[in-house]
Amino acid sequence: MTFNGYGVWAIYRFEMARALRTIWQSIVTPVITTALYFVVFGGAIGSRMQEVGGVPYGAFIVPGLIMLSLFTQSIFNASFGIYFPKFTGTIYEILSAPVSSLEIVLAYVGAAATKSGVLGLIILATASFFVPLQILHPFWMMAFLILISVTFSLFGFIIGVWADGFEQLQMIPMLIVTPLTFLGGAFYSIDMLPEGWRTVTLFNPIVYLVSGFRWAFYGQGDVSIGVSLTATLGFFALCLAIVMWMFKTGYRLKN
């Protein structure tokens, strides 16, 4: 079967057009929310904590803020993108169309990752007006940005297929992902924690993603870059395997 590029582009373009129709919700609201985080954490805590590992605290939290936005927006965009066709019943038209499961995933996940990746770059540009930023490894910064956007878009796609209602779409991002991000070193270094809590924190997978992204900025992280990259690729492979299993079995797609 040949690759149906037209079908992929049609779904991708439709999802991107939906983001432009809801630009306030898709772009403006996350940027304002992130700016408020920056003001609160940078102002309230930054006045008491000047530097973390030689990096000004205001600049230190920028990678964490971008990651928080990437996690939540990637999940939201992908989960809603696939759940809405299920809700309206148009998913059967997509499944019966001459597009493979891989092409469907590529279109929906690609659109969600594009939107969250662009948002991450907008937040990065916004943060540069508040604090002086340096990116020591721009290639790895973009690599982590794209990889994490794609990975959490896959994760969001899984949630969208699994969810039975709009409440479930919000449950995992709000009750699991966001708390893990706050506890995963987004706004502090885990080296600042007592040894026991630091050991517990290493079981939080978000630690490795945030650490790798921060390393791309400042050349330092809570864990080595190799471990961060391995953990990110492992999560990506796991999400991809689950998505492929869902299409192979028709889990909550064909019944």
Side-chain angles (χ1 to χ4, degrees):
M1 182 178 178
T2 59
F3 180 76
N4 188 349
Y6 181 81
V8 172
W9 173 245
I11 299 174
Y12 177 89
R13 185 175 57 185
F14 176 81
E15 287 298 301
M16 294 302 295
R18 181 168 58 83
L20 294 177
R21 290 194 301 268
T22 58
I23 192 168
W24 180 269
Q25 180 182 4
S26 301
I27 301 295
V28 179
T29 299
V31 169
I32 293 176
T33 302
T34 304
L36 290 175
Y37 276 124
F38 187 82
V39 170
V40 171
F41 282 92
I45 301 177
S47 60
R48 297 174 175 82
M49 187 187 305
Q50 297 298 320
E51 292 186 347
V52 178
V55 179
Y57 183 75
F60 178 85
I61 66 174
V62 170
L65 286 172
I66 296 174
M67 285 293 98
L68 177 61
S69 178
L70 280 185
F71 298 155
T72 56
Q73 290 301 309
S74 295
I75 292 174
F76 173 78
N77 289 326
S79 61
F80 186 81
I82 191 61
Y83 176 78
F84 191 73
K86 285 177 53 185
F87 179 75
T88 59
T90 56
I91 186 66
Y92 300 108
E93 298 177 6
I94 297 174
L95 293 174
S96 61
V99 288
S100 66
S101 57
L102 177 62
E103 291 163 350
I104 293 173
V105 173
L106 184 62
Y108 279 108
V109 170
T114 299
K115 288 183 279 188
S116 59
V118 169
L119 179 61
L121 294 176
I122 291 174
I123 293 173
L124 176 62
T126 303
S128 65
F129 290 103
F130 292 91
V131 294
L133 291 175
Q134 60 174 342
I135 304 176
L136 296 180
H137 307 284
F139 170 81
W140 285 109
M141 189 276 290
M142 287 300 302
F144 269 104
L145 184 77
I146 295 172
L147 180 58
I148 292 173
S149 296
V150 172
T151 299
F152 273 81
S153 293
L154 282 170
F155 186 45
F157 191 92
I158 294 170
I159 295 173
V161 173
W162 163 80
D164 281 331
F166 288 99
E167 296 81 6
Q168 290 183 337
L169 290 180
Q170 300 293 331
M171 183 174 66
I172 292 179
M174 295 300 295
L175 298 182
I176 298 178
V177 175
T178 298
L180 286 179
T181 304
F182 277 94
L183 297 173
F187 303 109
Y188 58 87
S189 171
I190 66 172
D191 291 335
M192 301 166 63
L193 299 174
E195 184 175 352
W197 280 110
R198 186 164 61 249
T199 302
V200 171
T201 303
L202 291 175
F203 288 95
N204 181 352
I206 299 297
V207 168
Y208 303 93
L209 280 64
V210 173
S211 177
F213 194 62
R214 182 171 286 128
W215 174 87
F217 279 76
Y218 308 119
Q220 57 179 280
D222 293 319
V223 296
S224 69
I225 181 61
V227 173
S228 294
L229 185 59
T230 301
T232 307
L233 289 173
F235 188 39
F236 167 78
L238 176 62
C239 290
L240 185 61
I242 294 174
V243 169
M244 292 296 101
W245 172 82
M246 284 178 163
F247 274 98
K248 183 178 181 180
T249 62
Y251 175 79
R252 295 198 175 182
L253 286 170
K254 300 178 181 179
N255 50 52

